[in-house]
Amino acid sequence: MIFHIPHSSTIIPENIRNHFELNDDQLTNEIKHMTDWFTSELFGMAVDHLGVRVEFPISRLVVDPERFFVDEEEIMSNVGMGAVYEKTFSGQNLRKKGYAAGIYKQELLDLYYHPHHNELTNITDEYLFKDGKAIIIDCHSFPSIALPYELDKTDSRPDICIGTDSYHTPDALKENLYKAFTELNYDVKVNTPFSGSLVPLKHYKKNLSVNSIMIEVNRSIYMDEEKLSLKDDFGKVQHDICSAIKNMLITPN
């Protein structure tokens, strides 16, 4: 399996820092709210036992590899959060005027977005060549209270959200994963509050041999969201995620 970890990094390259309109405290607060904290570690056990990781090395505030890079195809561009964010989570201007538009946006895509997707595509193609299929696990976390930019602001948020794609997520994967997490006593919802799952554009809506499913973990179950520290039972959540993904692959008799 291929574990895609897109939003775990907090790194802002030095040459990008002065492009943001935010002062240091504001930028720190933005990173605090927008980072998928500890997802690299959270899915680490599953990676070690079940596959390989493709992890985006810089903060999503620079470029978001989960978005379609063409704004007209990306729903989140409606709130200023396409592949290159123009707005903060609260709707304020993120970048100084001009830095998110035109050739500068293309430069960011060429520097960070496209190389990342090329890596994901190449590894997917390797699995297809070797095994005849590829399974992508799209690894995320989400805040226990919805942020202003989010489309689904429902108060009641599950422990685990499973995101699916109508073309690339087989029912068996979805159902097995849902069953595995519920049997571990997690509250689970499908496509709520987030939906979809990443697939390389080369194969998107074209190749049924590429499967993809997203796992979103509520941060409140494994960390203190204010202090940004891990809870004592982090190891249990980490183990449960690995176990659930293993059980997702089991074919009923």
Side-chain angles (χ1 to χ4, degrees), residues 78-197:
N78 295 329
V79 294
M81 287 184 158
V84 177
Y85 295 177
E86 297 179 22
K87 299 291 185 180
T88 66
F89 72 85
S90 59
Q92 306 304 307
N93 289 333
L94 176 64
R95 286 179 163 86
K96 295 175 183 177
K97 188 175 181 180
Y99 275 118
I103 193 170
Y104 180 71
K105 175 182 176 181
Q106 190 60 51
E107 181 180 323
L108 288 176
L109 293 174
D110 290 342
L111 276 173
Y112 302 113
Y113 183 100
H114 294 310
H116 176 78
H117 277 268
N118 288 341
E119 180 186 5
L120 179 62
T121 300
N122 290 338
I123 292 175
T124 301
D125 287 347
E126 289 174 11
Y127 270 81
L128 288 171
F129 179 78
K130 181 178 65 173
D131 301 330
K133 67 176 181 178
I135 301 175
I136 298 170
I137 310 295
D138 205 10
C139 308
H140 295 262
S141 71
F142 62 98
S144 57
I145 299 174
L147 297 174
Y149 82 92
E150 294 181 24
L151 302 181
D152 186 335
K153 296 181 176 64
T154 306
D155 290 338
S156 177
R157 307 198 115 187
D159 298 326
I160 303 290
C161 166
I162 296 172
T164 66
D165 179 89
S166 59
Y167 188 92
H168 291 280
T169 309
D171 287 343
L173 285 186
K174 176 188 68 177
E175 292 164 3
N176 285 358
L177 189 61
Y178 182 94
K179 182 173 184 287
F181 273 119
T182 54
E183 288 182 348
L184 290 166
N185 297 315
Y186 291 94
D187 176 33
V188 186
K189 291 184 180 178
V190 176
N191 292 323
T192 301
F194 302 97
S195 61
S197 192

Side-chain angles (χ1 to χ4, degrees), residues 10-39:
T10 62
I11 294 173
I12 306 287
E14 287 186 19
N15 63 316
I16 303 294
R17 171 63 187 96
N18 69 342
H19 297 166
F20 292 104
E21 193 167 286
L22 308 181
N23 63 36
D24 288 347
D25 288 342
Q26 291 169 330
L27 183 58
T28 296
N29 188 55
E30 193 71 16
I31 291 172
K32 175 180 179 178
H33 285 85
M34 292 299 296
T35 301
D36 284 7
W37 291 97
F38 305 113
T39 46

Side-chain angles (χ1 to χ4, degrees), residues 3 40-41 43-53 238 242:
F3 291 82
S40 183
E41 296 86 351
F43 289 88
M45 183 181 294
V47 173
D48 291 343
H49 286 84
L50 300 171
V52 298
R53 76 172 67 215
Q238 186 187 50
C242 182

